[in-house]
Amino acid sequence: MITEKTDPKLKIAMNQIIHHLKNSNRILLASHANPDGDAIGSLIAMGLSLDVLNKKTTLYNESPVPAVYNFLPAVERIVQHIDRKNVYDTAIIFDCSDLQRIGKDVSIVSRIPVIINIDHHATNTHFGDFQLIDTFACATTEIIYRLLKKMAVRINKAIATSIYTGILTDTGSFRFSNTNRSVFAICEEMSGLGVDPHSVARHIYETYSLGRIKLLGMVLSSIEISCNNKLSIMILTKKMLDETNTQPEDINGFVNYAKGIEGIKIAVLIKELASNNEEPEKPGRFNVSLRSDETVDVAAIAASFGGGGHSVAAGFSIESTLSDIKSKIINLAENCLGI
Ligand code: 5GP
Ligand code: MN
């Protein structure tokens, strides 16, 4: 296990960040658009911790908080707009491999004098003035946990629940390859601080809308298998979202079904973000989720489209036609799989 205790670079970064935060007063906290449990959990865990230190904070995410995370404490403090009149001395960006991942307000954030980059993606571009990037951490909230320990902040039940949520969701409920001893050690500690794993799991995985389940049915019906049964591709269209009255947040987790098929090495979910008005030959805007069985580095595939992520879970955004995206992915997959 590599942590700030064994990696001098992480230790220096932590000390510098702690020193800087002591002298900061107005801090903007932001995480990536279309947030997952780690992006939301990071904002809340750090926001509540900075309250204890009497810092003024704004918690920002471009997208609405997915409904399944509404049980988290202080979730109502997360705002979707940054008031241009607000003055910040520091911004902390969580779970973003590059600054653009925060979305439309990137130009406002770039003007904040000091930017702290806290993340666990191997493809992190090292943006900002201070970088705390631990690619061995299972979630950004694991890094926050270590930072809080070093800051001697008392982790209360609310902070613990946010840390636990980030770890639970980013490890796929303790199933992904980033699940290790330290994950269980931290979660054991969080449970001792009052986190109720059953209650958290019920909120996150058992409060789906009927629309989401119908959407899942449509997406599952779109599965196509190719590359000698090693590649699975699923499609989600804007029309499916409209027909089921669902939001992009409802797609979280779908790609894992494509990955769960026996023999599949690369799983792909192509999501149409902006409609091309049902004219498949016209380009539309898509976000693509990639997953691998660990034998293939899908971050490299994502990077060739300008995206990023981890070797087993990555993604990219693209403006193109569906058929063009599919054939490019199949070509790259054939290369990776040696077909
Ligand atoms: P997901 O498929 O769950 O949306 O994302 C999987 C991983 O890929 C996450 O680590 C996420 O940060 C990354 N990712 C997804 N979409 C994009 C993208 O458009 N750009 C970049 N740089 N990373 C992405
Ligand atoms: Mn994460």
Side-chain angles (χ1 to χ4, degrees):
M1 189 174 78
I2 297 181
T3 68
E4 75 288 356
K5 293 202 176 80
T6 47
D7 183 339
K9 264 203 340 228
L10 284 178
K11 187 174 172 183
I12 293 167
M14 264 196 190
N15 286 336
Q16 286 175 333
I17 289 168
I18 293 168
H19 179 76
H20 179 78
L21 288 178
K22 276 194 187 132
N23 300 311
S24 304
N25 289 306
R26 296 181 154 271
I27 306 169
L28 178 86
L29 309 183
S31 57
H32 61 81
N34 298 320
D36 51 18
D38 194 26
I40 298 294
S42 294
L43 288 181
I44 298 176
M46 198 66 192
L48 294 177
S49 303
L50 291 172
D51 288 351
V52 178
L53 303 174
N54 290 320
K55 307 293 180 184
K56 284 211 160 41
T57 57
T58 299
L59 279 52
Y60 166 77
N61 194 286
E62 176 189 282
S63 318
V65 174
V68 295
Y69 299 116
N70 278 338
F71 74 98
L72 283 170
V75 73
E76 69 287 349
R77 279 175 54 186
I78 300 176
V79 296
Q80 266 100 65
H81 299 282
I82 303 174
D83 189 339
R84 281 172 189 270
K85 292 193 293 286
N86 285 352
V87 177
Y88 299 100
D89 48 47
T90 301
I92 315 180
I93 313 298
F94 300 101
D95 209 34
C96 290
S97 49
D98 58 71
L99 190 56
Q100 280 63 37
R101 296 274 294 144
I102 63 170
K104 63 177 171 30
D105 285 336
V106 66
S107 61
I108 302 179
V109 175
S110 340
R111 287 196 288 271
I112 296 175
V114 174
I115 293 182
I116 299 174
N117 168 359
I118 301 184
D119 186 32
H120 67 132
H121 291 95
T123 52
N124 192 288
T125 58
H126 290 79
F127 65 86
D129 302 280
F130 298 106
Q131 299 91 19
L132 184 56
I133 297 152
D134 181 356
T135 57
F136 290 92
C138 71
T140 299
T141 61
E142 175 177 346
I143 307 176
I144 293 175
Y145 162 84
R146 299 191 193 289
L147 186 65
L148 298 183
K149 286 277 168 177
K150 212 163 169 79
M151 289 167 88
V153 169
R154 193 181 71 81
I155 299 178
N156 59 25
K157 181 180 170 183
I159 298 173
T161 304
S162 308
I163 291 172
Y164 180 87
T165 295
I167 293 178
L168 178 73
T169 55
D170 260 24
T171 58
S173 305
F174 311 111
R175 287 181 298 126
F176 298 159
S177 57
N178 56 359
T179 310
N180 54 29
R181 271 178 74 185
S182 81
V183 164
F184 288 111
I186 298 168
C187 291
E188 193 272 342
E189 187 180 336
M190 297 304 103
S191 146
L193 293 169
V195 174
D196 177 354
H198 175 61
S199 158
V200 173
R202 269 188 53 75
H203 281 290
I204 299 178
Y205 302 115
E206 294 176 20
T207 59
Y208 295 140
S209 65
L210 178 60
R212 179 188 146 114
I213 302 300
K214 296 207 165 181
L215 181 68
L216 175 62
M218 291 177 180
V219 172
L220 290 178
S221 308
S222 76
I223 288 188
E224 282 176 25
I225 308 290
S226 55
C227 293
N228 299 341
N229 300 327
K230 291 179 179 147
L231 173 72
S232 58
I233 300 184
M234 302 196 304
I235 312 284
L236 179 137
T237 62
K238 185 84 178 46
K239 188 167 168 249
M240 292 178 188
L241 289 176
D242 292 343
E243 279 178 13
T244 53
N245 196 18
T246 47
Q247 314 297 322
E249 67 192 57
D250 291 303
I251 308 162
N252 280 343
F254 281 11
V255 67
N256 294 319
Y257 289 94
K259 190 184 144 225
I261 303 165
E262 190 181 10
I264 291 298
K265 292 189 171 292
I266 304 174
V268 181
L269 173 59
I270 305 175
K271 296 163 275 181
E272 184 186 39
L273 301 178
S275 172
N276 56 6
N277 297 319
E278 308 278 312
E279 295 184 60
E281 68 285 359
K282 280 197 180 163
R285 266 204 77 66
F286 295 86
N287 177 266
V288 179
S289 288
L290 302 166
R291 297 292 184 271
S292 94
D293 70 342
E294 277 187 62
T295 61
V296 177
D297 179 6
V298 286
I301 299 181
S304 66
F305 290 98
H310 311 278
S311 64
V312 291
F316 63 90
S317 299
I318 188 169
E319 190 141 353
S320 186
T321 60
L322 192 53
S323 59
D324 199 38
I325 299 171
K326 263 205 224 173
S327 63
K328 279 187 181 143
I329 290 174
I330 291 174
N331 274 338
L332 283 167
E334 281 174 349
N335 269 339
C336 293
L337 297 166
I339 294 171

